[in-house]
Amino acid sequence: MEGEDENSTDERAFCNKKAWRRFLIVIMGAVFNLLLGVVLIACTLIPQDRFTTTVVAEFRENAVSSDYGLQVNDKIVEVNGRRIFTTYDLSYAFTNVADGKVDLTVERKGEKVLLEDVKFDTKKENDITYLTVDFYVYGREKTFLSFIRETFNSIFSYCAVIWRSLIDLIAGKYGISAMSGPVGVTAAIGSVAKQSLKNLIPIMALITVNLGLFNLLPLPALDGGRLVFILFEMIFRRPVPQKYEAVVHTVGFIILIVFMLIITAKDIWSLVT
C-alpha cells in the first residue's frame, strides 16, 4: 500500500496515519487469518456426532501406561508441564519422546495428581519417535455450547502446538528434516486432497493459523517486525527513521528468502529420492 515502505504526501497514505491506526492495519492481516482458521475448524466439527476428550475411558490390550499409574477416568491436563486442551495437543506432546516416558498431570476425583515417568511403547517414523497411545478416551455429547467450546479449544490447541513446535525447533528437538516449505506443503495437501475433503479442511485450518501466527513473529520483513517499530513509536513518541527501518526489513527479507530456498531444496530432494 502507498506509504508502507516509502514517504508519501498523500494524507491517506499508510505512513501519514497515526501510529495506533497503522498498528491496527498491520495486525488485522494476522487476525483475519486466525478468524478464517476458526471458521475452518468449525466446519470440521459440524459433521461430528460427538467430540473427543482427554479423559481415559479404557485401556487397550497389553497397555503399558496403566502399569505406571494412569487410571480409567483420569483427565490428562498436562504433559511434561505443558497444558493440554484437546487430543491434538496430546498427539503433539507424545511426539519425539526418545525414552518413551512422560510426566502426566491428571485430574482424578477433583484433584490434580502428578504421575512421573509414565511409560508408553514407541514407534519411529521419518526419524521422529512417537508414543503409542494405549488407551481410548470418552466422547462428549454434541450440543450448541459444546460445539462453541470445542471450536475455541481447537483454535487454542492449534496455536499452542504451532508455538511449541517453533520453540522445540529452536531448541533442537527437531531438525531441518521436520520442516517443510511451499513445495513440501503443496505435496502434503495434494496427498490429503486425494483422500477426501474431510481430511483436507483440518490441514487448511492449520496452515491458515500458522500463517497468522508466523506473521506476528517480531522478525524483520514480517508484520510482527513492523509492529515492533510502530510500538517503539507509540512508546517513545517518535518514529525510527524510515531509512533505518527499510534496511532492517531488507536484510530480514533476504535472510527469509535464503532460508526458504534451503527448505525448498530439501523438499525437492525428498520428493525425487
Side-chain angles (χ1 to χ4, degrees):
M1 70 184 76
E2 184 175 353
E4 185 175 8
D5 295 309
E6 71 286 328
N7 290 318
S8 174
T9 57
D10 190 337
E11 62 178 12
R12 297 174 300 175
F14 179 80
C15 61
N16 294 325
K17 297 296 182 182
K18 291 184 178 180
W20 68 268
R21 295 188 68 175
R22 283 184 276 124
F23 186 92
L24 290 178
I25 291 170
V26 172
I27 204 172
M28 287 311 294
V31 169
F32 277 104
N33 271 121
L34 296 176
L35 289 176
L36 177 58
V38 171
V39 172
L40 292 173
I41 289 171
C43 290
T44 66
L45 297 177
I46 289 174
Q48 296 185 20
D49 298 323
R50 296 176 68 83
F51 303 130
T52 58
T53 68
T54 59
V55 181
V56 178
E58 63 176 303
F59 290 95
R60 299 176 187 269
E61 186 177 359
N62 299 321
V64 176
S65 61
S66 58
D67 297 330
Y68 289 80
L70 191 62
Q71 300 179 9
V72 171
N73 295 323
D74 281 350
K75 179 181 180 180
I76 301 175
V77 294
E78 289 183 3
V79 176
N80 289 336
R82 291 180 170 182
R83 182 67 191 273
I84 301 298
F85 296 100
T86 66
T87 51
Y88 186 72
D89 292 309
L90 198 59
S91 297
Y92 181 77
F94 281 3
T95 301
N96 223 22
V97 183
D99 60 1
K101 295 180 180 180
V102 290
D103 294 337
L104 301 179
T105 300
V106 301
E107 286 186 5
R108 181 182 296 170
K109 297 179 180 179
E111 297 182 355
K112 287 189 176 181
V113 179
L114 175 62
L115 307 175
E116 297 182 323
D117 293 334
V118 179
K119 176 72 175 177
F120 290 86
D121 287 332
T122 61
K123 60 180 179 179
K124 196 167 186 177
E125 295 179 8
N126 299 323
D127 296 325
I128 297 177
T129 303
Y130 299 90
L131 300 188
T132 301
V133 179
D134 56 11
F135 56 84
Y136 299 98
V137 296
Y138 286 111
R140 181 187 296 117
E141 182 182 1
K142 183 179 181 181
T143 64
F144 177 75
L145 289 178
S146 67
F147 172 77
I148 298 298
R149 177 182 174 183
E150 188 69 16
T151 299
F152 283 95
N153 275 347
S154 295
I155 193 70
F156 291 145
S157 178
Y158 276 44
C159 291
V161 167
I162 290 168
W163 281 118
R164 289 168 183 170
S165 60
L166 177 62
I167 293 171
D168 289 341
L169 188 66
I170 295 172
K173 185 176 180 180
Y174 298 98
I176 195 171
S177 60
M179 301 181 64
S180 291
V183 174
V185 171
T186 302
I189 291 174
S191 177
V192 173
K194 291 178 182 178
Q195 301 173 18
S196 70
L197 179 63
K198 179 182 177 182
N199 294 331
L200 179 60
I201 294 178
I203 299 295
M204 293 170 59
L206 180 62
I207 292 173
T208 300
V209 174
N210 189 37
L211 283 174
L213 290 182
F214 187 78
N215 246 340
L216 289 177
L217 291 176
L219 300 175
L222 299 180
D223 287 344
R226 295 184 183 276
L227 290 175
V228 170
F229 284 98
I230 296 175
L231 282 173
F232 179 92
E233 179 181 347
M234 293 171 68
I235 294 171
F236 295 100
R237 304 296 181 182
R238 58 189 179 90
V240 175
Q242 195 169 52
K243 61 179 181 179
Y244 297 130
E245 182 178 349
V247 169
V248 171
H249 289 314
T250 300
V251 172
F253 181 75
I254 293 172
I255 293 173
L256 286 175
I257 290 297
V258 171
F259 184 69
M260 187 174 69
L261 289 174
I262 293 172
I263 298 300
T264 300
K266 186 272 297 181
D267 288 340
I268 294 174
W269 178 256
S270 299
L271 290 174
V272 299
T273 55

